[in-house]
Amino acid sequence: MSTLTADPVPAGAYNSARRERAAADPASLVPALQELARKVRTSDIRMINRAQLGHIGGDFSVTDILATLYGAVLSVDPLDPAAPERDRFILSKGHSAGALYSTLAHCGFFPLSELNTFAQPLSALNGHPNRVKVPGVETNTGPLGHGFPVAVGHALAAKLQGSSRRTFVVMGDGELQEGSNWEAAMTASHYALENLTAVVDRNRLQQGARTEDTKQLEPLADKWAAFGFEVRTVDGHDITQLLQAFSGSTTGKPVAVIADTIKGKGVSFIEDRVEWHHKVPTAQQVEDALKELNQ
Amino acid sequence: MTTAAVKVPTFDCRKAFAEELIALAREDDRIVAVCNDSVGSSNLTGFRDEFPDRLINVGIAEQDLVGVGAGLANGGMIPFVSAASPFLTGRALEQIKADVAYSRAKVVLCGQSPGMAYGELGPTHHSIEDLSWMRAVADLPIVVPADPAQTRAAVRWAAANDGPSFLRIGRHPVPAVHPEGTEFVPGKAIRLTDGDDLAVVATGTMVSRALEAAEILRAEGIGLRVLNVAYVEPLDTDAVLQAASGTRGVITAEEATTTGGLGAAVATLLAENAPTRMRILGIHREFAPTGSTDFLLDHFGLSTAGIVAAARELA
Ligand SMILES: Cc1ncc(C[n+]2csc(CCOP(=O)(O)OP(=O)(O)O)c2C)c(N)n1
């Protein structure tokens, strides 16, 4: 079974100086993070077309969040992805594996060429993140409603060990319909896990329809607040706002970031359309999409 | 044998499922479909269009899904509770046990796209444990249709049956092995070929593969008796015992883990009553590598060739 090893880290992709700069002068980092997001989307759509499978809509809604986290917030080392003191990131909406793989590859966790194997026989990269085969992946996701409880466990472990490492988890908004998330939310606030940030990719669409037509989530910010979270609502495609939102708890409570996003963000004919949850772009559509992404 | 140029038409059983459910719903207004954001993947779009009020979508919430189904049943409706099989059976296992089976709630649990149907999506989405999990629950008949005609018959039977049931509805296209309007005898296995060298006890997608294997082996002088065990639970013990006594060995074939599924059921029966040489085809406690459905079925010896190889070994 293939396991992946890292390419040399792309110059400047990862270092603590970058995170310090993110804290001191966030604006200076924005262009680089936007460029990372553009590259992630570009590789992802190519990969999905090649594999004839994937979840482009949810991938593109979460890409700016991933680029911000991996490009400037998380303390992780692609050359030592299992370092005990690393920050933890869990993509609970595991169907967006394409965006995660593409981000990890661009940040040097494994060779970019490996993306060509996505979904191919015996590849390490199947349609959902795999902790055993892919460096940088913290837990196996895909069935919705699993990531948040695992993230709570990571955050608790850090607290018990007196470690300052942080844990981030990204959930889909549709995914919030799983009760396991609200059980985890109660645990997180009961244990005052101020080292935990739960991000909701609020693109207002799920698999079959709009979230509010399927099973209403609003008033979402009030729900998180009632469960004991410090709530921050941001534009999930505005990197400056995201950097601010990921800056840590100010109240000693766990943080919930509601990131308002657009499913399929960046490609006009994919944006905010339910059918693009798991539709596969044709070769021509990939070309059209790349034109828009490269503008 | 058919020549390579003649392609046997194949069918997605979810389509037959959806058509029959709509037909039933026209006849009986107690029929409701309950799903988990899976209107499309459960093929319920047509049902929703015709009966918008009777399609209940609880969102991505499988424990809720089955609990709500049990309540609907106790309230006098006939719910077809439908979701991808790994999540329906895995996430809501306790609801299935306590709210449905033990409570005798007449819920039809419809596990869609089982086995390796979601090939490349990976082991979280492969529904290979569902047969064992459901078999472990008392008072829950399990039906795994082999083709569209049998799917229709199963839907009809489940709606009329006095109690809960689990239907495993395949997504992987299969050829028709039964004529439309096929006779439906609950609890009975169907003997499809008459060979008396070896018996293949197969279910779901494996039935048509067993028939192909029988054809190949006939040319080698090995007669294969193919039993379609759509009713995995309760098992047709007479048919299986007859197959064992009338042949020199029994092969079981299922698109599922062998821990507790059809192979285990047959082995337990034979061990207690008529010890028999066996080969148990399925997935032996292993998470699959990445690959398409067909790639994975071949990988695990669940292809026609895999059945042929097992038969040659046992013959
Ligand atoms: C437990 C479970 N039930 C159902 C599914 C099938 N499924 C995959 S993605 C999806 C929709 C997810 O919507 P959302 O969380 O809003 O993600 P996004 O729109 O950001 O892609 C569903 C229902 C699943 N993966 N897991």
Side-chain angles (χ1 to χ4, degrees), chain A residues 55 57-59 61-62 93-96 128 142-146 171-178 201-209 211 217 261 263 277-278, chain B residues 36-38 41 59-62 83-84 86-88 91 118 124-125:
Chain A
H55 292 85
D59 286 7
S61 73
V62 80
K93 40 170 270 182
H95 56 283
S96 288
H128 293 86
L144 297 164
H146 283 248
M171 289 166 277
D173 50 1
E175 181 178 10
L176 289 183
Q177 291 156 356
E178 290 287 0
D201 180 4
R202 183 75 171 114
N203 59 32
R204 295 182 177 266
L205 285 174
Q206 51 192 94
Q207 180 171 287
T211 55
L217 292 167
T261 56
K263 209 158 167 171
H277 175 72
H278 53 195
Chain B
N36 68 332
D37 191 21
S38 57
S41 54
I60 309 167
E62 292 73 20
F87 311 135
L88 173 66
R91 189 68 65 93
Y118 288 125
T124 55
H125 284 55

Side-chain angles (χ1 to χ4, degrees), chain A residues 1 53 55 119-128 133 141-146 174-175 177-178 180 206-209 214-215, chain B residues 36-41 48 57-64 87 91 119-125 288-292 295 299:
Chain A
M1 188 58 47
L53 127 139
H55 292 85
Q120 300 305 308
L122 306 180
S123 166
L125 307 180
N126 70 34
H128 293 86
K133 298 183 199 165
T141 50
L144 297 164
H146 283 248
E175 181 178 10
Q177 291 156 356
E178 290 287 0
S180 52
Q206 51 192 94
Q207 180 171 287
T214 307
K215 184 142 108 177
Chain B
N36 68 332
D37 191 21
S38 57
V39 181
S41 54
R48 180 194 56 196
N57 185 353
V58 300
I60 309 167
E62 292 73 20
Q63 301 186 60
D64 190 29
F87 311 135
R91 189 68 65 93
E120 299 91 341
L121 296 191
T124 55
H125 284 55
T290 306
S292 66
F295 172 83
H299 175 88

Side-chain angles (χ1 to χ4, degrees), chain B residues 148-173:
Chain B
Q150 203 167 36
T151 302
R152 289 179 204 284
V155 167
R156 289 261 156 200
W157 166 79
N161 179 45
D162 182 25
S165 52
F166 175 71
L167 308 185
R168 199 178 190 240
I169 309 291
R171 174 199 202 96
H172 194 50

Side-chain angles (χ1 to χ4, degrees), chain A residues 12-44:
Chain A
Y14 266 98
N15 53 49
S16 51
R18 197 180 177 105
R19 286 199 313 283
E20 277 159 28
R21 216 172 103 206
D25 181 13
S28 68
L29 270 178
V30 170
L33 296 178
Q34 283 170 336
E35 176 57 12
L36 175 59
R38 191 190 62 76
K39 284 189 191 153
V40 168
R41 286 190 172 93
T42 302
S43 302
D44 186 37

